[in-house]
Amino acid sequence: MSAINKIHITGFKAFPNDFELELEGKHLLMYGENGSGKSSIYYALHCIFQAPLKSDAGKKYFDVANEQHLKNIDNIAADSKIWIDFEGRHPFIYQIDKNGYNTTLIDGTHPLPASINGCFINHQFLFHFFNFRNSQSINLFPVFIKDILSFCKDEKSGLHIGEMYDEITTSIVKRGKRIDPTYISNIEYFNKAVKEVVENINIYASDIYNKHFRDDDNLELQIRLRYDSNLDKPTDDPNEYWLKYDKVIEYTKENGILKEHLSSYKKLNKPFIGLEISERQSDGSFRKITKPHTYFNEAKLTAIALSVRFALLNLEKPADGRFLALDDMLISLDMSNRAKVVAFLLSISDKYKIYLFTHDKMFFEYFKHKTRCSKQEWVYKEIYMDDSKAPYLRNSNDYLGQAEHFIKQHEYEIAGNFCRKAAESICKKFLPRKWQLSLDYTLLDLNGLIQNCKTFASESGVKDLSVFEKLDEYRKFILNPSSHDNYDVVKYRYEVENCLEALHSFDSIEVKPFMEYGAKVYFELKEPIPSINVYKFEISLCDDFRVIKQNGQEPIISKGMINYRVIKNGVIGDRKTDNTTLRHFYDVNYNRSDKSGNSNFLEGIFDAKSNNSINMML
């Protein structure tokens, strides 16, 4: 399936310079304080996925001459742009800048953004859902045309319904003095398309609310939207539902009384999507709520709005690039109501990628906790603003990322503590379990871990030990927080940053399992002429061996205990033990041989199970 790999932003809204967010096709949970830039990422997604529907989007948002531009004002000269690359069977890139919207194919074809079912919900969307005076009826058409119909595609025409509306309202098409019949038929087609969307919502919205968002002690709700033909509406209903080009109802005040009359000329009306809510009573009947926005509290109104929007999600199709971008949409809900929404989102996370942004740290941690039980992969990010007013990311679960964050926040002692946590964590990742323990089988302290890392690396054949030596130097003054009391701030920051750099270098050393305890390997060598003896070395591994990879260096197989026996011309010798590396053991015996075998131990040693050289296992 296709999913967003990276989001790149330059000179757009909160981002004065180049900014990159790696998702690697995973779901995103992001925390950010107000003004940190999280909503700018949300709007960057919104901008680029609406760009194919609006021909002027590039100039509108990226041309400084346009008063509606969204360029970052602290770097107005930047070549502002947004580009997103997708992973999957057919990778591709979307980009928008002042020159407009374009795509880049990377080996094959791809669905256009117009065919990707994106869903955008933020607190403004929910606010406009019910922001009506007591005297008004709820008209959801402005919300639909701005935030819903733009992402509803009509399969027959290939257009999004929002595109249809833009084409109809941009200019009235005439033939001479008469309206072009095609223009009228386009209006009729638009109405039918909207009606179909409304009917789909009416099928699912009530079930979503009652199943996922309703409290057990609350009454069931029936949620229904109305987008009726103007000919079919009740006579006492003043609303004009379907879009039409004709004389429309206008209102004027006469002696303080509001009166309606037909306009003197034909024009486009403003369509109306009404909302009707009914409560199921104890006897099974339904009581109609005439003004939901004056009857229900904000939490229930939010749940109704989400049910309406989520009713359009297609949970039957396989996921392919589809996503929900959600920005602070739950700020009006308490945690019990948020929990219901979280449970719903996680239940559909195999069908839609979730990109959720929040400024509430408690909610962020709660959502993160809930995703631990999910089968889906998540990226957890925190975003902050540094001294230069440029947003930066912090990996929520990463000690190194937290140390970087607190350096930028001038909290050097806290940064030092996170460096210490990182050092302990990286040492444990680097060392086999038995190397992490003392002679009495207690866990080593940081000093012992660093010394054992250096010894383990050296004995395994790592030549450049400078990173371990640096960490040993920083241990006393940086990684031990009790030693910071006598250090001035400037010098302390410098040393913390250097320590952090060393930790990054250490963390970049890749250590992964190679062969487990009990695995068997072998190799054969011949004695030098004139001897005709053939030796076969059968080796059993008594440790979990690891592969150690440093940037630009050949991979190294770690040191460990082995049992071996030598079979000379078919005669089996006694079993012996050695604590060595496979390379050293092979090289010593190879140098005693006639050197007709492979000089590279990776090609000369074979796995006893597959009979493949161990080089194939790296």
Side-chain angles (χ1 to χ4, degrees), residues 160-355:
H160 281 69
I161 302 175
E163 284 183 277
M164 298 181 195
Y165 186 75
D166 288 342
E167 290 186 3
I168 291 170
T169 56
T170 298
S171 61
I172 297 170
V173 181
K174 296 184 178 182
R175 284 186 182 178
K177 293 184 178 181
R178 294 190 173 187
I179 302 298
D180 189 331
T182 303
Y183 181 75
I184 299 300
S185 67
N186 288 343
I187 292 176
E188 294 172 353
Y189 192 92
F190 168 80
N191 285 326
K192 291 177 181 178
V194 176
K195 181 68 174 177
E196 184 176 345
V197 170
V198 167
E199 288 175 346
N200 284 336
I201 291 173
N202 289 340
I203 292 172
Y204 299 108
S206 300
D207 288 342
I208 290 176
Y209 174 84
N210 292 318
K211 180 180 179 180
H212 297 283
F213 302 145
R214 180 179 67 90
D215 289 331
D216 293 338
D217 56 349
N218 285 350
L219 298 174
E220 289 186 15
L221 297 185
Q222 185 180 73
I223 302 171
R224 179 176 179 269
L225 300 183
R226 288 186 59 191
Y227 190 69
D228 301 327
S229 167
N230 295 317
L231 298 176
D232 298 334
K233 68 177 184 175
T235 55
D236 60 345
D237 189 344
N239 302 307
E240 294 189 86
Y241 290 88
W242 281 19
L243 180 66
K244 68 177 183 178
Y245 180 78
D246 203 345
K247 291 184 177 182
V248 300
I249 297 174
E250 294 180 336
Y251 296 89
T252 58
K253 275 190 176 182
E254 297 179 13
N255 300 322
I257 299 175
L258 193 66
K259 293 189 175 182
E260 64 178 54
H261 60 85
L262 287 177
S263 60
S264 58
Y265 58 92
K266 293 181 178 181
K267 60 180 181 179
L268 285 170
N269 69 325
K270 293 183 178 180
F272 190 96
I273 296 180
L275 174 67
E276 293 181 350
I277 306 291
S278 299
E279 284 184 328
R280 183 189 291 273
Q281 305 301 295
S282 57
D283 62 0
S285 64
F286 282 91
R287 179 181 65 177
K288 183 177 179 180
I289 308 301
T290 56
K291 295 289 179 68
H293 52 301
T294 64
Y295 178 75
F296 293 119
N297 61 34
E298 190 169 359
K300 190 162 293 187
L301 292 174
T302 297
I304 292 170
L306 292 175
S307 300
V308 168
R309 184 61 185 94
F310 291 155
L312 289 174
L313 299 180
N314 189 339
L315 303 180
E316 304 301 323
K317 286 177 60 178
D320 189 14
R322 296 180 298 165
F323 63 87
L324 278 66
L326 313 170
D327 182 28
D328 270 338
M329 67 173 193
L330 304 179
I331 55 177
S332 63
L333 301 183
D334 60 23
M335 193 57 76
S336 64
N337 285 297
R338 292 182 183 188
K340 298 184 183 71
V341 180
V342 170
F344 175 80
L345 293 176
L346 293 179
S347 73
I348 65 169
S349 61
D350 61 330
K351 300 295 185 182
Y352 282 80
K353 289 297 178 186
I354 310 295
Y355 307 136

Side-chain angles (χ1 to χ4, degrees), residues 422-435:
E424 292 177 352
S425 176
I426 299 170
C427 284
K428 292 174 184 177
K429 183 179 70 172
F430 183 78
L431 289 172
R433 178 61 180 171
K434 72 176 186 179
W435 285 76

Side-chain angles (χ1 to χ4, degrees), residues 512-553:
K512 65 177 185 179
F514 173 60
M515 300 186 78
E516 295 181 348
Y517 178 94
K520 299 181 185 301
V521 296
Y522 69 89
F523 62 89
E524 291 185 357
L525 297 172
K526 296 179 181 178
E527 281 189 342
I529 295 175
S531 173
I532 59 172
N533 293 327
V534 176
Y535 292 84
K536 181 178 181 180
F537 294 80
E538 292 185 341
I539 304 169
S540 296
L541 306 187
C542 302
D543 274 322
D544 291 335
F545 280 61
R546 298 179 170 204
V547 176
I548 303 171
K549 292 184 179 180
Q550 288 179 291
N551 292 332
Q553 304 291 323

